[in-house]
């Protein structure tokens, strides 16, 4: 069960911003022109200069003010409508940037007075330009990969203490430069990615300047600035590795920039919005660091196994990887709960299906890790390494001894460490003295054998471990690809909320607007237009407008509205309409069950004349 939830992506899941409601409501008919258009989202959003476009019935753009907030709330977007709006149906196209840095767009309509026979068609444009989106996703993947390589390799050197860290300098340098290049690419692609335009727009200096004022842009700049102390730490590590000085202070000096780098991802993506933001941010940072230590450490271990390995280093990495996997499981459980919201979301949403795909990859990864752990245990046992492992100096000496071939006609390899005596080769003044056996236990001389010695068990263990670690590294790269896609996908919790409060782009739900004609004789004829927002189970806002026989607004002394669900014997539920001076409304009407409801409207046109009419409407869950 824990493995099932290790899949909470490289950043904690909350949501892309989903449109929660609009004011005016989609498809609403208003007696007079509104002063503002307000959008409310499921999370905080960023505004752009072109966040709003309002078109009149003829398709001409209406003059608007600057986009802002409603009551200072970060999850809202508002624009003032300047000038007088004539009668007819207006179209509002909008585009914002969600807190997880992804652009979101859509459109809706509202009417002033009688709706128009036709409405302006508006193309909100693609949310993302395909080429720009591909380049942006590639840069994001490279940034994740580079961070894992950089942080994981540095942690391997500091925590696992390989005898010869020289082969690991190349991946450290490659990770640093790759992260630098990927971050610069993300910065210059930010403006065209948000606008949904081609990558050529990245050359616009004004657009780049605008990016630097947004939260994603600022965080990318902070990430670039953090690469400076990271480079200084790597130089210090290189000097410390050369002099074997790996102190607790140097390790702490690497933890601080690593945590700060992880925060630049956590603050720019899902963790910064939604529920339990402080906990989500902490979980995100721990998840990123644990992923980097494990996956980046695999690459470092693979290079170490190809060079000068020792069983102590492998044993220390095995313990470090186990701690990393434990952290991944704990944070993954929380992130998956936060993102999914329900068990059905695992199979009914794109996020859930990607989560299952990542589960399959992580299952293979853990299986390979289990094999590696068995090879490690066998090697440690064969080498006789204790919990602390062999000393680095011993490992280096053994590595040098294995790499230097014996001269032709020299003694066998095991004789190098044998006792000195008349038959032993002479030792130069600069050569280290070989360890001497106890005087009480002299070793008998062994005749030279013309047959080669059998391979040492440690070599077979090392080769098996190298193969299993290679499999781990390849599968980890695939899992990282799925993770990159996962962090750009609307999680199940937000998808359910968006579906429950969906506002169609440029259309009206069948059950959201109902027109009921009435006739009390004489001039007491007309229609009542009833708008339910969102027209689903749960709380709904109700607006009712009375039109005369000529289609103009009509004032009536009383209007009552009730809802009944005959199949379930629910109701009648009185809407308790309030006269708002030209139209009637109720802020909260609760329809508890889905089904076909009967709407009964009673219109009183004078002291003695009134009529009741009914209509059936479909309410979805």
């Amino acid at each position: 069960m824990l493995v099932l939830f290790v899949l909470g992506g490289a950043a904690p899941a909350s949501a892309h911003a989903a449109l929660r409601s609009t004011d005016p409501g989609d498809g609403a008919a208003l007696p007079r022109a509104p002063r503002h258009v307000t959008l409310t989202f499921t999370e905080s959003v960023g505004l752009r200069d072109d966040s709003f476009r309002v078109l009149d019935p003829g398709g001409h753009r209406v003059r608007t003010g600057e986009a802002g907030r409603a009551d200072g709330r970060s999850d809202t977007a508002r624009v003032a409508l300047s000038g007088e709006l004539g009668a007819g149906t207006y179209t509002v196209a909008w585009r914002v940037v969600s807190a997880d840095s992804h652009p979101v767009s859509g459109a809706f309509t509202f009417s002033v007075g009688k709706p128009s026979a036709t409405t302006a068609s508006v193309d909100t444009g693609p949310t993302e330009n395909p080429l720009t989106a591909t380049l942006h996703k590639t840069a994001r993947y490279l940034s994740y990969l580079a961070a894992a390589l950089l942080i994981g390799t540095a942690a391997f050197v500091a925590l696992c203490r390989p005898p010869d860290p020289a082969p690991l300098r190349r991946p450290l340098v490659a990770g640093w430069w790759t992260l630098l290049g990927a971050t610069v690419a993300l910065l210059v692609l930010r403006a065209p990615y948000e606008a949904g335009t081609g990558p050529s727009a990245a050359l616009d200096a004004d657009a780049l300047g605008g990016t630097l004022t947004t939260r994603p842009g600022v965080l990318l700049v902070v990430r670039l600035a953090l690469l400076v102390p990271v480079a200084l730490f790597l130089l210090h590590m290189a000097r410390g590795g050369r002099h074997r000085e790996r102190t607790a202070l140097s390790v702490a000096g690497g933890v601080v920039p690593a945590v700060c780098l992880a925060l630049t991802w956590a603050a720019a993506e899902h963790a910064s919005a939604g529920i339990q933001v402080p906990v989500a941010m902490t979980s995100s940072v721990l998840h990123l660091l644990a992923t980097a230590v494990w996956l980046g450490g695999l690459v470092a271990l693979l290079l170490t196994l190809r060079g000068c390995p020792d069983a102590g280093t492998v044993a220390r990495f095995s313990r470090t990887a186990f701690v990393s996997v434990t952290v991944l499981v704990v944070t993954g459980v929380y992130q998956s709960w936060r993102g999914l919201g329900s068990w059905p979301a695992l199979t009914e949403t794109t996020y859930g299906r990607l989560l299952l795909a990542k589960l399959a990859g992580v299952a293979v990864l853990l299986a390979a890790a289990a094999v590696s752990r068995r090879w490690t245990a066998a090697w440690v046992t064969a080498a006789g390494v204790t919990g602390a492992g062999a000393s680095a100096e011993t490992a280096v000496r053994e590595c040098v001894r294995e790499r230097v071939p014996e001269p032709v006609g020299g003694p066998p390899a095991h004789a190098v460490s044998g006792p000195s005596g008349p038959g032993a080769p002479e030792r130069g003044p600069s050569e280290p003295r070989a360890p001497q056996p106890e005087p009480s236990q002299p070793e008998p001389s062994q005749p030279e054998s013309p047959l080669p010695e059998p391979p040492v068990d440690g070599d077979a263990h090392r080769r098996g471990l190298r193969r299993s670690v290679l499999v781990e590294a390849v599968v980890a790269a695939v899992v990282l690809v799925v993770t990159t896609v996962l962090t750009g996908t609307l999680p199940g919790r937000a998808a359910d909320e968006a579906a429950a409060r969906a506002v169609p782009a440029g259309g009206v739900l069948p059950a959201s607007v109902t027109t009921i004609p009435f006739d009390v004789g004489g001039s007491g004829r007309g229609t009542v237009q009833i708008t339910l927002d969102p027209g689903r189970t749960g709380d709904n806002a109700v607006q009712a407008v009375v039109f005369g026989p000529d289609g103009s607004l009509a004032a009536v002394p009383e209007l009552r509205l009730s809802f009944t669900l005959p199949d379930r014997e629910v109701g009648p539920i009185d809407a308790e309409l309030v006269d708002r001076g030209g139209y009637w409304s109720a802020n909260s009407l609760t329809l508890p069950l889905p089904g076909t409801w009967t709407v009964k409207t009673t219109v009183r046109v004078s002291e003695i004349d009134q009529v009741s009419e009914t209509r059936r409407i479909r309410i979805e869950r």
Side-chain angles (χ1 to χ4, degrees):
M1 292 299 295
L2 291 177
V3 170
L4 174 64
F5 290 106
V6 76
L7 311 171
S14 168
H16 299 333
L19 185 60
R20 187 191 301 274
S21 63
T22 66
D23 184 18
D26 186 25
L30 309 178
R32 61 179 62 89
R35 298 180 58 185
H36 301 88
V37 172
T38 304
L39 310 179
T40 304
F41 296 89
T42 56
E43 66 174 41
S44 59
V45 295
L47 303 179
R48 299 172 42 82
D49 294 338
D50 58 347
S51 282
F52 286 95
R53 286 185 296 150
V54 182
L55 306 180
D56 64 18
H60 302 95
R61 190 161 183 173
V62 176
R63 182 179 301 176
T64 61
E66 185 177 351
R69 307 289 186 181
D71 302 324
R73 294 169 48 193
S74 62
D75 62 344
T76 63
R78 168 177 285 183
V79 66
L81 300 177
S82 57
E84 293 293 333
L85 301 183
T89 301
Y90 292 79
T91 303
V92 180
W94 53 269
R95 186 180 186 88
V96 296
V97 180
S98 59
D100 57 12
S101 76
H102 300 286
V104 186
S105 62
F108 68 97
T109 63
F110 69 90
S111 299
V112 177
K114 185 177 181 180
S116 305
T118 60
T119 60
S121 61
V122 56
D123 181 12
T124 60
T127 302
E128 298 175 346
N129 177 274
L131 180 56
T132 302
T134 300
L135 293 175
H136 190 268
K137 291 175 182 177
T138 302
R140 288 178 61 225
Y141 174 73
L142 290 176
S143 67
Y144 284 134
L145 188 64
L149 184 62
L150 183 61
I151 297 174
T153 304
F156 183 88
V157 173
L159 300 176
C160 302
R161 304 187 298 278
D164 182 17
L168 302 180
R169 293 171 189 164
R170 183 170 298 176
L172 285 172
V173 173
W176 190 91
W177 281 106
T178 302
L179 184 56
L180 175 66
T183 304
V184 171
L186 289 172
L187 186 62
V188 298
L189 287 172
R190 188 71 218 171
Y193 177 70
E194 290 183 359
T197 57
S200 60
L203 303 177
D204 187 348
D206 293 336
L208 180 59
T211 298
L212 297 178
T213 63
T214 63
R215 185 175 65 170
V218 170
L219 289 171
L220 289 172
V221 172
V222 171
R223 190 181 301 169
L224 287 174
L226 286 172
L227 288 178
V228 175
V230 169
L232 296 177
F233 172 75
L234 295 181
L235 291 175
H236 172 75
M237 178 179 288
R239 290 195 298 269
R242 190 177 300 117
H243 296 95
R244 320 305 301 167
E245 297 173 354
R246 300 192 183 115
T247 63
L249 182 61
S250 66
V251 174
V255 171
V256 174
V259 172
C260 292
L261 278 176
L263 278 171
T264 63
W265 273 280
E269 296 186 347
H270 296 311
S272 60
I275 61 174
Q276 303 175 354
V277 171
V279 179
M281 292 282 287
T282 303
S283 175
S284 173
V285 171
L286 292 176
H287 199 89
L288 282 166
L289 293 178
T291 301
V293 171
W294 185 23
L295 303 188
L298 287 176
V299 178
L301 179 62
L302 189 62
L303 294 176
T304 301
L305 291 174
R306 294 183 59 185
C308 180
D310 76 294
T313 299
V314 177
R316 286 187 286 271
F317 177 75
S318 181
R319 293 190 293 270
T320 302
F322 182 80
V323 173
S324 298
V325 171
T326 303
V327 174
L328 285 172
V329 168
V330 174
T331 56
V333 168
Y334 171 74
Q335 292 172 196
S336 299
W337 166 81
R338 189 173 184 258
L340 281 174
S342 64
W343 284 105
L346 270 174
T347 56
E348 296 175 0
T349 64
T350 303
Y351 182 87
R353 289 188 288 270
L354 282 172
L355 212 54
L356 291 175
K358 190 177 176 183
L359 168 62
V362 171
V364 175
L365 192 58
L366 291 176
V371 174
S372 298
R373 195 168 177 84
R374 284 196 294 269
W375 279 115
T376 300
W379 187 7
V380 170
T381 302
V385 179
T386 62
S391 66
E393 289 78 7
T394 301
V396 171
R397 182 165 61 248
E398 292 296 322
C399 181
V400 172
R401 181 179 63 80
E402 290 176 3
R403 290 180 177 179
V404 177
E406 291 291 335
V408 176
H414 65 272
V416 175
S417 58
S420 59
E426 295 184 359
R427 174 170 47 87
S430 61
E431 297 182 42
R433 183 178 182 86
Q436 302 296 321
E438 294 292 336
S440 60
Q441 298 177 355
E443 292 186 7
S445 59
Q446 299 290 339
E448 295 187 9
S449 173
L451 299 177
E453 293 183 333
V456 182
D457 288 342
D459 294 336
H461 296 151
R462 184 168 68 244
R463 288 193 297 270
L465 179 61
R466 186 163 60 235
R467 287 192 295 268
S468 63
V469 170
L470 180 60
V471 172
E472 279 191 80
V474 172
V475 176
V478 176
V479 171
L480 203 57
V481 172
V482 179
T483 299
T484 305
V485 178
L486 192 65
T487 59
T489 304
L490 182 67
R493 182 185 296 272
D496 290 342
E497 183 176 357
R501 298 181 176 271
V503 177
V508 180
L509 288 171
S512 64
V513 177
T514 303
T515 301
I516 303 177
F518 66 90
D519 188 355
V520 295
S523 60
R525 294 183 296 107
T527 58
V528 179
Q529 180 175 281
I530 303 168
T531 302
L532 289 178
D533 184 14
R536 305 267 179 120
T537 55
D539 291 338
N540 288 263
V542 184
Q543 287 185 349
V545 182
V546 181
F547 295 99
D550 59 352
S552 62
L553 294 175
V556 295
E558 185 179 5
L559 180 64
R560 296 194 302 272
L561 199 63
S562 65
F563 294 78
T564 304
L565 183 59
D567 295 343
R568 307 294 290 272
E569 298 181 354
V570 176
I573 300 175
D574 189 0
E576 299 181 357
L577 296 177
V578 177
D579 188 357
R580 304 293 184 182
Y583 70 101
W584 301 72
S585 71
N587 292 329
S588 180
L589 169 68
T590 301
L591 301 177
L593 299 172
T596 302
W597 289 72
T598 299
V599 182
K600 179 181 178 181
T601 179
T602 300
V603 184
R604 183 167 63 86
V605 297
S606 67
E607 292 295 331
I608 59 173
D609 296 321
Q610 73 175 32
V611 65
S612 296
E613 300 288 347
T614 61
R615 282 291 184 275
R616 296 168 67 86
I617 64 172
R618 181 70 184 175
I619 299 297
E620 302 291 345
R621 187 179 298 276

